[in-house]
Amino acid sequence: MGKRVALVLAGCGVFDGSEIHEASAALVHLSRGSAEVKIFAPNIEQRDVVNHLKGSPAEEKRNVLVESARLARGNIQDLAELKASEFDAVIFPGGFGVAKNLCSWAVDGKNCTVNEHVNSTLQAFHSAKKPIGLCCISPVLAAKVFPGCEVTVGQDKNVDGRFPDAETASAIAELGCKHICKNVNESHVDKANKIVTTCAFMCKAPLHEIFDGIGTMVQEVLKLA
């Protein structure tokens, strides 16, 4: 029987929700790994809405759960209903929605607060010693909730202009966590905490390399499960 994995989304679209390619890549690799997946998102209003064509704010309101349902093809549940006891692992794709809707990192950086249901979900899986997979900006959730853990968001320097958000690594270190430098096609496994991370779109890289990196994260999560 395949592993039971919960996938947590933050909306639909890189600038105000979940990064679509990352969510899709995670789902493809989970399918390849014969996992049984259920998708969740918090039933809350988005922090903001971005016109993805213009890259500018839109004067409208959207709901994170409703928008995430687009990615889930309608088959999604309120994150408040997620029970860690029913799953072997949990995975969080990235996108600005993680830093805006699942926590306030986009505004407050290392001083951010984490959504109560996101926090309780992470704590429940961690307490049960079940693996947590995170990609792109999502590792900051672990850094905030689990001081002392090890994560990667790629490199801690803007190597060849490919890591424009490298300062995130410094903020993670300031939270008392260890940042591990990795390439886009790699992931890092914090064996003590069963946290697996990969940088995905934190690196300016070809899509297939991002896809492969997410694949290594998913594979390691399934191994730990």
Side-chain angles (χ1 to χ4, degrees):
M1 183 180 292
K3 301 299 182 182
R4 303 163 300 168
V5 180
L7 187 81
V8 181
L9 299 179
C12 181
V14 59
F15 298 126
D16 57 14
S18 288
E19 211 299 318
I20 294 171
H21 298 294
E22 292 178 10
S24 179
L27 287 167
V28 169
H29 287 296
L30 286 166
S31 175
R32 184 169 285 146
S34 301
E36 177 187 337
V37 182
K38 289 189 178 180
I39 305 175
F40 298 84
N43 186 10
I44 57 174
E45 185 177 301
Q46 289 185 189
R47 177 176 290 273
D48 60 26
V49 178
V50 175
N51 181 322
H52 281 58
L53 179 61
K54 297 179 179 179
S56 58
E59 295 300 321
E60 59 181 284
K61 296 185 183 298
R62 296 192 183 187
N63 177 279
V64 174
L65 179 59
V66 173
E67 292 302 299
S68 298
R70 295 174 179 271
L71 279 169
R73 298 171 60 87
N75 189 8
I76 193 168
Q77 294 173 258
D78 187 337
L79 182 59
E81 300 173 5
L82 194 162
K83 295 181 175 61
S85 60
E86 297 177 354
F87 295 91
D88 301 302
V90 63
I91 288 178
F92 289 76
F96 278 104
V98 172
K100 292 178 176 182
N101 304 324
L102 303 192
C103 69
S104 63
W105 186 278
V107 176
D108 303 318
K110 68 180 188 298
N111 297 317
C112 72
T113 56
V114 178
N115 171 274
E116 63 173 317
H117 295 303
V118 173
N119 183 70
S120 62
T121 294
L122 290 167
Q123 295 282 10
F125 277 86
H126 187 259
S127 296
K129 294 181 168 42
K130 295 179 178 181
I132 299 167
L134 308 119
C135 66
C136 195
I137 192 64
S138 292
V140 302
L141 296 172
K144 187 66 181 181
V145 176
F146 307 119
C149 71
E150 298 177 356
V151 299
T152 188
V153 289
Q155 300 291 323
D156 56 10
K157 295 182 178 61
N158 191 8
V159 181
D160 298 326
R162 299 174 72 228
F163 295 89
D165 300 306
E167 70 276 2
T168 304
S170 298
I172 287 170
E174 289 174 15
L175 284 170
C177 298
K178 185 174 183 180
H179 180 266
I180 309 297
C181 291
K182 289 286 184 177
N183 292 322
V184 66
N185 60 348
E186 300 176 313
S187 57
H188 176 69
V189 181
D190 177 347
K191 294 182 180 178
N193 290 293
K194 290 193 173 183
I195 296 171
V196 188
T197 51
T198 189
C199 69
F201 277 101
M202 294 292 276
C203 177
K204 291 184 176 180
L207 182 57
H208 71 276
E209 292 184 12
I210 291 165
F211 183 90
D212 291 345
I214 292 172
T216 67
M217 180 267 286
V218 170
Q219 289 167 16
E220 294 295 341
V221 165
L222 293 179
K223 284 180 189 175
L224 289 172

